[in-house]
Amino acid sequence: MAAFVSKVRGMPIHDEASIEFDQPAVDSLGRLDVDGKIRYADGTLFVHWKLRDRTFTRTQNKLQTAELGMGDVELIELEKGWFSTVLKLQVKDPRLLDGLPGVEMGRLEVKLPRKMRGAAEKLVSVVEFEVSQ
């Protein structure tokens, strides 16, 4: 996991700022799942994803990355439920997340297991702080 480093009153602060996610099949045949990671590092929010083929063909899908500056992030928030958490990320320019399955007009919604809630809260607070600067 990536570490968040910031200076508050001259003292560096290190904090976890990444989450991993997976999304169920997004293609019409139900074959391609999405594995991904969202992490913050050095003023940039990285969204990494790779398609995972569930068939026996063992297709080699390459890791893809979208780099978002803090000015590109329009909204990041968590919607907490009893059993899951949904991370919502909205970017100003939809082309920035082009190619990521499940994204509609620059809005990514990722369902996270409850055990990932703490890491997601840290990521959201770090990004919200950086966007507010």
Side-chain angles (χ1 to χ4, degrees), residues 88-109:
K88 296 180 180 183
L89 173 66
Q90 176 75 38
V91 295
K92 293 178 181 175
D93 185 357
R95 293 175 292 185
L96 295 171
L97 295 177
D98 194 29
L100 176 56
V103 172
E104 294 182 13
M105 290 306 295
R107 185 174 184 90
L108 172 65
E109 291 189 13

Side-chain angles (χ1 to χ4, degrees), residues 8-59:
V8 177
R9 296 184 191 154
M11 305 220 18
I13 296 175
H14 298 278
D15 203 357
E16 299 280 329
S18 67
I19 59 164
E20 294 180 8
F21 66 92
D22 58 47
Q23 291 181 320
V26 293
D27 65 321
S28 59
L29 296 176
R31 296 179 299 124
L32 298 173
D33 293 340
V34 177
D35 291 330
K37 183 173 189 172
I38 301 173
R39 68 180 178 90
Y40 173 84
D42 300 326
T44 304
L45 189 65
F46 295 93
V47 181
H48 306 284
W49 74 92
K50 182 177 183 178
L51 296 176
R52 181 173 26 107
D53 193 349
R54 295 188 306 167
T55 62
F56 297 109
T57 59
R58 300 286 184 211
T59 308

Side-chain angles (χ1 to χ4, degrees), residues 2-6 17 39-46 68-70 126 130:
F4 170 67
V5 180
S6 180
R39 68 180 178 90
Y40 173 84
D42 300 326
T44 304
L45 189 65
F46 295 93
L68 307 171
M70 293 300 99
V126 165
E130 290 294 321

